Amino acid sequence: MDYNFEQELISKGYNVICGIDEAGRGPLCGPVCAAACILPLGLEIPGLNDSKKLSEKKRDALYDIIRENAVDYSVAFSSVEEIDEMNILEATLLAMRRAVEGLKTPPDHLIIDGNCCRGFSIPARSLIKGDSLSPSVAAASILAKVTRDRLCIELDKQYPEYNIAKHKGYGTKEHMALIREYGISPIHRKSFIHL
């Protein structure tokens, strides 16, 4: 992984490049989380990769390194209610826009993981598998994933009967069985659950 995509944008006259990724599009409960991250160009972070390819321990270690070394970063959410009201794609884009708005250093170009980048007020490009290709996006991926996983541990304390700390809200066999047993809680995405 190198800074090719960031360098290409800098060669076109952009100076502050921000990577964006999300965590939690697929789960049945909890908010979706997005992170925006601006790294110093060329910063080497050993082991940096798509958060899904890393162990929890490695993600936690990288999370601290990213926060210490980033020029700026911001994490934001869209709620379960917003997901149910507008659909997961629109809610994810909203969380991404909120993450950008939370930055103290205004970026002049965004690299967004995936294939959709509409609704942003500054220039943006989507990059499929961006979290495996761009250090800025990979860093955002880790910030979003660790933040959301930690939130799931908090949600588990409020709703221990669903075992959220274990499955992080995904539709595992166990989670589905617990929903059937205990019903749908206020933190479940009603539009996602078909019993």
Side-chain angles (χ1 to χ4, degrees), residues 33-120:
C33 179
C37 186
I38 302 167
L39 292 179
L41 195 67
L43 174 71
E44 295 273 339
I45 302 178
L48 185 64
N49 204 338
D50 169 7
S51 65
K52 294 183 288 297
K53 296 177 181 172
L54 301 168
S55 68
E56 185 176 353
K57 187 178 175 188
K58 184 67 177 167
R59 280 196 302 267
D60 285 342
L62 287 168
Y63 175 84
D64 292 335
I65 293 167
I66 292 161
R67 290 177 64 205
E68 286 162 19
N69 290 281
V71 172
D72 198 2
Y73 69 91
S74 169
V75 179
F77 296 93
S78 284
S79 69
V80 168
E81 293 77 15
E82 287 168 328
I83 292 166
D84 282 340
E85 189 182 310
M86 62 177 66
N87 78 46
I88 188 61
L89 174 60
E90 296 305 325
T92 300
L93 289 167
L94 176 61
M96 288 177 169
R97 289 193 292 272
R98 286 173 174 161
V100 173
E101 286 161 13
L103 292 166
K104 295 178 188 70
T105 307
D108 51 17
H109 206 293
L110 311 175
I111 304 175
I112 300 169
D113 185 57
N115 60 2
C116 185
C117 63
R118 57 187 157 75
F120 294 90

